[in-house]
Amino acid sequence: MSVELDVFVGNTTIMDEEVYQLWLDGYTVNDAVKVRMEGGVMDECEASKDVLLSDTMDQYRTFQMCERLLHSPAKLANQLLFQIPPHRQIMLIERYYAFDDTFVREVLGKKLSKGTKKDLDDISAKTSVTLKSCRRQFDNFKRVFKVVEELKGPLVENIRQHFLLSDKLARDYAAIVFFANNRFETGKRKLQYLSFQDFAFCAGQLISNWTVGAVDNMVEDMDVDLDKEFLQELKELKILITDKDLLDQHKSLVCTALRGKTKVFIEMEGSFKNLSRGLINIAAKLTNTKDVRDFFIDLVEKFIEPCRSDRWSAADMKLYLTHYTNSAHILDTFK
């Protein structure tokens, strides 16, 4: 009885980046072979379908054996089983931890638990990201969260050092960890126009200015937890809307600064008090966990939507908020 064996002997581990991406995207071996054939790889190599199938299976096995090392990327550089050049190691790690914006948008702000993992079937169907890829991405988010949640020091730097990610990807993961920890609501219909990168930018601003790490850069959870003392101090801003004289003074200062600088000045002047009440009330309630979760939906409903209905541009919004902040500093109460 004869047995046919495919034997490959080599030193440097051969990895095809296209096949690696197909594996990451959750393609089966047969589907990956089909994609490679459609891409013309057989014409380039003059190989048969059996050889292509054998090569794809071999590479899939290699990736599966490497996967446990990719869970702790630092181990990849120190292991002896696979001879992988440094530049190729960087590629393997970066792509393994890359994620689809459409997928992360669906889980952003949710608890990284078994309950959310059960919803991955539905998310896969909604986003057209394969279930296998959804699971890989979700498990990566959970893994990073668990490793960095108790570490001291800056969140982005901790992620970069422990998972050897690029600065951009480390910042994106910092945003995911920050949103998961604070459970910000991002799934409501009124927030659907916001992309993951929109929220990632907001996370960067909040981490830099509103977290414990903005005050003390060597504490646990420094860039993950909002500074409770700071949130408590925000309540003092209520005097800007409860004191009628102060409200009128603030409006006068802001409107004087804005006059002649925008086409929507009349709308700004007319809606000043309502907008100011909206902003201050949002700020004053952030000591409550539920109000922290609703932070973005509250901003959209009480500030962004009224401005949008009055046809403010992004430049108008920036101008208004700049003078709103600067004018408050001039008031005797805040000097």
Side-chain angles (χ1 to χ4, degrees), residues 97-110:
Y97 283 91
F99 52 80
D100 293 279
D101 280 7
T102 53
F103 171 73
V104 72
R105 186 64 185 80
E106 292 298 318
V107 299
L108 190 66
K110 293 182 179 179

Side-chain angles (χ1 to χ4, degrees), residues 31 40 326:
D31 287 340
N326 293 344

Side-chain angles (χ1 to χ4, degrees), residues 275-290:
L275 292 177
S276 187
R277 288 190 186 100
L279 284 175
I280 299 300
N281 283 327
I282 290 171
K285 293 192 298 179
L286 289 176
T287 49
N288 302 320
T289 303
K290 184 186 180 303

Side-chain angles (χ1 to χ4, degrees), residues 88-203:
R88 189 53 63 93
Q89 291 180 26
I90 293 170
M91 181 277 293
L92 289 174
I93 295 166
E94 194 77 2
R95 288 202 187 181
Y96 188 79
Y97 283 91
F99 52 80
D100 293 279
D101 280 7
T102 53
F103 171 73
V104 72
R105 186 64 185 80
E106 292 298 318
V107 299
L108 190 66
K110 293 182 179 179
K111 196 171 183 180
L112 299 175
S113 63
K114 289 180 180 178
T116 304
K117 196 168 185 178
K118 288 177 183 177
D119 297 333
L120 294 185
D121 281 344
D122 294 334
I123 294 173
S124 173
K126 182 178 179 180
T127 60
S128 298
V129 177
T130 65
L131 182 57
K132 186 177 178 182
S133 182
C134 286
R135 285 173 177 157
R136 172 182 59 81
Q137 294 177 53
F138 183 82
D139 288 342
N140 284 345
F141 300 158
K142 193 172 179 179
R143 187 179 308 110
V144 172
F145 184 94
K146 281 191 169 183
V147 168
V148 301
E149 67 175 334
E150 299 300 334
L151 292 176
K152 293 182 179 180
L155 180 58
V156 174
E157 190 57 34
N158 284 338
I159 293 171
R160 197 161 43 207
Q161 286 185 3
H162 282 78
F163 292 93
L164 310 181
L165 304 180
S166 64
D167 183 70
K168 171 68 172 66
L169 193 53
R171 290 184 185 282
D172 284 345
Y173 267 90
I176 293 165
V177 169
F178 181 72
F179 268 73
N181 183 71
N182 291 287
R183 304 284 301 282
F184 288 112
E185 173 60 62
T186 67
K188 293 285 177 67
R189 184 177 56 80
K190 287 185 177 181
L191 297 175
Q192 290 307 304
Y193 75 98
L194 294 166
S195 68
F196 165 70
Q197 289 303 328
D198 292 330
F199 281 118
F201 174 81
C202 294

Side-chain angles (χ1 to χ4, degrees), residues 247-271:
L247 180 59
D248 290 337
Q249 284 180 49
H250 192 199
K251 177 181 177 180
S252 176
L253 286 169
V254 174
C255 291
T256 299
L258 289 171
R259 196 181 305 276
K261 293 180 180 176
T262 171
K263 293 178 181 178
V264 291
F265 173 75
I266 294 173
E267 289 81 357
M268 286 182 173
E269 186 178 37
S271 59

